[in-house]
Amino acid sequence: GGVRQLARAHAPAAAVPAIARMAPVACRVSVAGGGSIDVAMIVKSMRDSLSADEVQAWGCGKIFEFCCAEWAGGGIGAEKRRLHAAEQGAMERVLTAMGVHASKDVQEWGCAALWGLIRDCPANRPRMISLRGTEAAVRALRQQPQAAAVQHWGCAALAELAKEGPECRALAVSLGASDLVLQGMGAHLQEVQVQACACGLLGRLALEAAARGALAAAGGV
């Protein structure tokens, strides 16, 4: 399905081999799909190496991979993998990494991990919102306007969070998500994933009356 295709297309093992080599041993698990990922180990490595940008990016990538790649969970279904990752403190680690490191790699894999943790997993959404996941995703869009992957995953994460209801959508709008999404679309006209995820997010934000007028005035129709 779509999740499997996204996981293959954006697998951390293929995209950040340098980071893989620099990460501690605890992070170098099952890179090629040969077994399950130990999320607790990844979370611990991220906690122990908070100042290391490369470890944080790699850890976020592995959390994304655990949530989205079927092989990574040792036969456990996708929703159970996402719930398990949340129980192990993955949300807190990802959001902390994104707050400490403004680099493209951490913001990209951080947004991807946020999306992976809540994709088709309603039970994880309220916790993500309470941990200020909406703010983190909007901040990533603002910090990295020229990074297509950050725009793609940031929009994807916000679109999932917007499923939670009017309050979450209103929060995203109040933080400036509408303008940022339109700017991202304009900056990445040839990036299909950016355009698709941004359109999905705009559709959800437009459910709020406060956003519709602003979106139309800014050329979002």
Side-chain angles (χ1 to χ4, degrees):
V3 173
R4 197 177 306 116
Q5 291 173 356
L6 281 172
R8 282 201 300 262
H10 299 276
V16 285
I19 292 175
R21 291 193 297 272
M22 296 170 73
V25 173
C27 287
R28 295 187 224 137
V29 292
S30 306
V31 173
S36 62
I37 290 174
D38 186 338
V39 175
M41 238 178 168
I42 299 299
V43 168
K44 183 180 185 302
S45 291
M46 293 176 73
R47 184 184 298 114
D48 293 345
S49 303
L50 180 58
S51 63
D53 185 281
E54 297 89 352
V55 174
Q56 299 304 308
W58 179 248
C60 288
K62 296 308 290 184
I63 289 169
F64 163 79
E65 199 169 14
F66 176 80
C67 291
C68 299
E70 289 184 359
W71 63 263
I76 303 173
E79 186 172 11
K80 287 185 177 180
R81 291 200 305 275
R82 289 159 189 163
L83 290 169
H84 173 69
E87 290 170 359
Q88 296 299 316
M91 286 187 193
E92 290 85 349
R93 281 299 99 207
V94 170
L95 290 167
T96 297
M98 293 177 71
V100 172
H101 300 278
S103 69
K104 172 187 171 295
D105 284 339
V106 172
Q107 297 301 312
E108 173 185 344
W109 292 110
C111 285
L114 296 184
W115 176 84
L117 284 159
I118 58 175
R119 171 69 173 169
D120 294 332
C121 190
N124 275 351
R125 290 200 299 259
R127 183 173 178 180
M128 181 76 76
I129 292 168
S130 71
L131 291 171
R132 303 177 70 84
T134 305
E135 289 88 338
V138 171
R139 186 174 62 245
L141 295 181
R142 183 174 287 113
Q143 287 178 338
Q144 296 286 344
Q146 299 305 315
V150 176
Q151 298 296 309
H152 160 201
W153 289 117
C155 287
L158 287 170
E160 282 295 317
L161 287 169
K163 292 179 180 179
E164 191 59 21
E167 289 187 6
C168 185
R169 292 192 290 269
L171 173 61
V173 171
S174 73
L175 293 169
S178 302
D179 289 338
L180 290 170
V181 172
L182 292 174
Q183 291 168 18
M185 293 179 75
H188 303 283
L189 294 173
Q190 304 304 315
E191 297 287 345
V192 175
Q193 294 282 18
V194 174
Q195 299 296 315
C197 291
C199 284
L201 175 55
L202 289 178
R204 293 212 171 98
L205 294 180
L207 293 172
E208 301 308 308
R212 288 197 286 271
L215 285 171
V221 177

